Amino acid sequence: MGFLTDRRDPRVAVIGLGYVGACIAAVLAERGLDVAGVDVDPHLVDELRRGYCRFEEPDLAQLLRAGVDTGRLRVGTDYAAVAEADVILVTVGTPVRLDGSLADEQLRGACVELSRHLRRGQLVVVKSTVPPGTTRDFVLPLLAGGGLVGGTDFGLAFTPERLAEGTALRELRTFPIVAGGLDAGSTRDAATFWRRALGVDVVPVESLEAAEIVKLADNWWIDLNIALANELAKFSALYDVDVLEVIQAANGIPKGTGTINILLPSVGVGGSCLTKDPWMVWHSAQQRGLEIFTAPAGRRVNAGMPGYTARLILDELAALGRPARGARVAVLGLAFKNDTGDLRATPVLPAVEALREAGCEVRLHDPLVDPDEAEKLFGLRPVPDLDAAVRDVDCVAVLAHHRPFAGIDFAALPVTRPCLVLDGRAYYSRERIAELRAAGFHYRGIGR
Ligand SMILES: NC(=O)c1ccc[n+]([C@@H]2O[C@H](COP(=O)([O-])OP(=O)(O)OC[C@H]3O[C@@H](n4cnc5c(N)ncnc54)[C@H](O)[C@@H]3O)[C@@H](O)[C@H]2O)c1
């Protein structure tokens, strides 16, 4: 394809400037590439042009601003911008419907629009997570609707995005990229592009479908592994055993090509990926007559954790002589995990709902989330000041442990004593727990 035939750096278009697209566009521009970003959301485009970044991701805002300021990153709503590109990356959202099937509106819109602007010699690379077969059976015919032939006139590959929010930029610069093409030429071109663009290792695979399944396998494993950790936590709690001690001691023995690596239990799994990708697996299998058991099992276990956490709080409060009705609970951290402001599918929401249903008075505090978004989701305005959030509460529930929370001096908090500290994702050390107890707190973690 075009960019392989000369020595200049490939020019890139990124379609969809959401979380993933913004991170990729920013890192590619940082690497010195010429990037045109396209999104259908004019507000998002306007924000990016003004140097504002709505995603709470370490260093992303500065990187995007630098890209826009140097002119290496241009953003807009007009697909005409893709004409100049050698490589077109598709990073639109791919949510699932209630039955686990792909809600394909964003992908369809992007492909239809792209088909009108595609020209010979370009390489289209899908990065959005999709059910196996989507790139070949859905994306390819839509792109070919413009009259060009895939594999002959333009290249087509699937290279999954495997970054995690909170550590996205570092992972983008270092993680190996899996590449599967429509044909050998597309695989080779995609591999060449990523090696040149990011300087990372590339793992070529035999087909589009293999690359699509790799992404699903990663998230299937992560969700199921967390489910194992969550059930191990409940199991350990039966014996008054600290699950973190068990996990640390169990992990590390060689197994297969790695070691046993049980992940961490928590208030639950959220975000836009782990909550949907296992269902994508399950639905895709169903469509072909195969019943998959593990993916839904992981989902069910993890979806039950917010309720388990709320129950833990209520039981511990009862043991301290505080009935649920009227008990005051401060929830620190509303996002779906530590160090992100992302509220998508946050497990904190069902935990808070369960507490409020039981009659608790809940106050919310999170310095990373957008307060308007939080108010819309929780029906409660977060309290910006930590002291005001915890004043006279019976329980401080740390449900996402963002970096600013590391410095909290619990001894100085104006809470009722004894006060419960519910550790939903902070993983406090033994020393920290001893300090909490000395300061008049009662500590309880998930499986601890
Ligand atoms: N968020 C993550 O941590 C993560 C990690 C790995 C992979 N993924 C996958 O990456 C993909 C994108 O995820 P995200 O979190 O960035 O989603 P997102 O919802 O944040 O962003 C999607 C963007 O695409 C834009 N868009 C929709 N239709 C469009 C169109 N026709 N043309 C141009 N732009 C359009 C939307 O306006 C939005 O800005 C998904 O498939 C997701 O599963 C996400």
Side-chain angles (χ1 to χ4, degrees):
M1 292 287 158
F3 70 90
L4 289 172
T5 57
D6 53 40
R7 297 175 71 92
R8 70 184 164 77
D9 279 331
R11 290 162 306 194
V12 188
V14 178
I15 309 300
L17 296 171
Y19 214 106
V20 167
C23 288
I24 293 176
V27 169
L28 292 177
E30 179 199 34
R31 297 268 305 174
L33 271 63
D34 179 88
V35 183
V38 179
D39 200 290
V40 286
D41 178 349
H43 301 295
L44 173 63
V45 166
D46 187 48
E47 283 171 7
L48 291 170
R49 278 195 185 135
R50 284 190 283 112
Y52 174 78
C53 172
R54 63 170 76 165
F55 313 110
E56 190 63 50
E57 181 67 35
D59 300 331
L60 178 61
Q62 298 91 297
L63 218 54
L64 282 167
R65 222 172 292 129
V68 171
D69 288 349
T70 55
R72 279 202 285 269
L73 171 60
R74 297 171 315 285
V75 294
T77 53
D78 188 351
Y79 270 72
V82 306
E84 293 298 307
D86 301 298
V87 179
I88 300 163
L89 306 177
V90 178
T91 52
V92 296
T94 48
V96 296
R97 302 192 184 97
L98 279 179
D99 66 355
S101 64
L102 175 68
D104 60 26
E105 294 79 6
Q106 297 188 41
L107 192 58
R108 181 186 298 278
C111 293
V112 168
E113 204 51 50
L114 267 181
S115 73
R116 300 189 180 123
H117 294 87
L118 211 56
R119 57 169 179 76
R120 282 199 174 74
Q122 288 179 314
L123 172 69
V124 178
V125 177
V126 179
K127 289 202 72 66
S128 303
T129 306
V130 292
T134 303
T135 310
R136 189 185 304 278
D137 301 333
F138 182 85
V139 172
L140 177 60
L142 288 174
L143 293 179
L148 297 183
V149 179
T152 306
D153 296 325
F154 65 92
L156 179 62
F158 184 85
T159 74
E161 184 46 66
R162 300 183 291 171
L163 62 79
E165 294 182 17
T167 45
L169 303 188
R170 178 166 51 79
E171 293 181 355
L172 264 174
R173 296 180 187 114
T174 55
F175 273 9
I177 290 194
V178 172
L182 176 64
D183 55 333
S186 297
T187 308
R188 195 187 52 237
D189 288 352
T192 304
F193 166 68
W194 286 117
R195 280 193 199 105
R196 251 203 229 177
L198 292 178
V200 296
D201 288 341
V202 174
V203 183
V205 292
E206 287 291 322
S207 62
L208 293 165
E209 289 74 15
E212 289 166 336
I213 293 175
V214 166
K215 169 66 194 181
L216 296 174
D218 279 334
N219 278 356
W220 186 355
W221 182 90
I222 295 169
D223 196 51
L224 201 51
N225 189 317
I226 295 172
L228 166 66
N230 282 331
E231 291 215 306
L232 191 59
K234 293 182 191 170
F235 186 61
S236 300
L238 297 178
Y239 302 92
D240 241 348
V241 162
D242 183 343
V243 69
L244 292 198
E245 189 180 26
V246 172
I247 290 175
Q248 202 179 6
N251 280 354
I253 61 161
K255 197 53 69 183
T257 54
T259 60
I260 287 189
N261 179 26
I262 302 169
L263 300 176
L264 292 169
S266 68
V267 58
V269 171
S272 63
C273 291
L274 294 178
T275 52
K276 73 165 160 86
D277 294 351
W279 290 120
M280 216 179 241
V281 169
W282 175 81
H283 184 267
S284 304
Q286 283 257 318
Q287 293 297 96
R288 292 182 171 237
L290 173 68
E291 185 70 29
I292 291 275
F293 296 102
T294 52
R299 281 288 68 237
R300 287 194 185 107
V301 171
N302 292 335
M305 290 313 290
Y308 177 82
T309 306
R311 189 74 259 153
L312 208 55
I313 292 173
L314 297 172
D315 289 349
E316 294 296 323
L317 284 174
L320 292 175
R322 318 269 169 76
R325 191 147 300 283
R328 285 180 289 256
V329 180
V331 171
L332 309 191
L334 310 179
F336 84 89
K337 67 174 186 177
N338 300 349
D339 297 317
T340 174
D342 197 340
L343 287 168
R344 289 183 284 186
T346 176
V348 179
L349 178 63
V352 166
E353 283 171 348
L355 291 171
R356 294 180 79 191
E357 263 164 40
C360 297
E361 181 202 311
V362 179
R363 275 180 238 151
L364 308 176
H365 175 75
D366 190 320
L368 299 190
V369 306
D370 179 326
D372 294 331
E373 255 188 71
E375 185 172 7
K376 220 184 302 162
L377 188 65
F378 285 87
L380 272 177
R381 185 90 186 157
V383 182
D385 178 65
L386 175 64
D387 275 1
V390 302
R391 188 166 303 284
D392 300 327
V393 296
D394 304 292
C395 168
V396 176
V398 185
L399 300 190
H401 189 245
H402 303 319
R403 276 181 206 113
F405 295 158
I408 293 177
D409 178 4
F410 276 88
L413 294 183
V415 298
T416 303
R417 281 167 218 246
C419 176
L420 170 67
V421 170
L422 191 288
D423 175 353
R425 217 188 273 280
Y427 313 114
Y428 287 129
S429 66
R430 290 232 168 112
E431 295 71 37
R432 183 82 156 136
I433 294 168
E435 280 168 22
L436 286 170
R437 289 195 174 123
F441 288 88
H442 179 81
Y443 174 87
R444 181 61 64 192
I446 310 294
R448 309 187 71 198

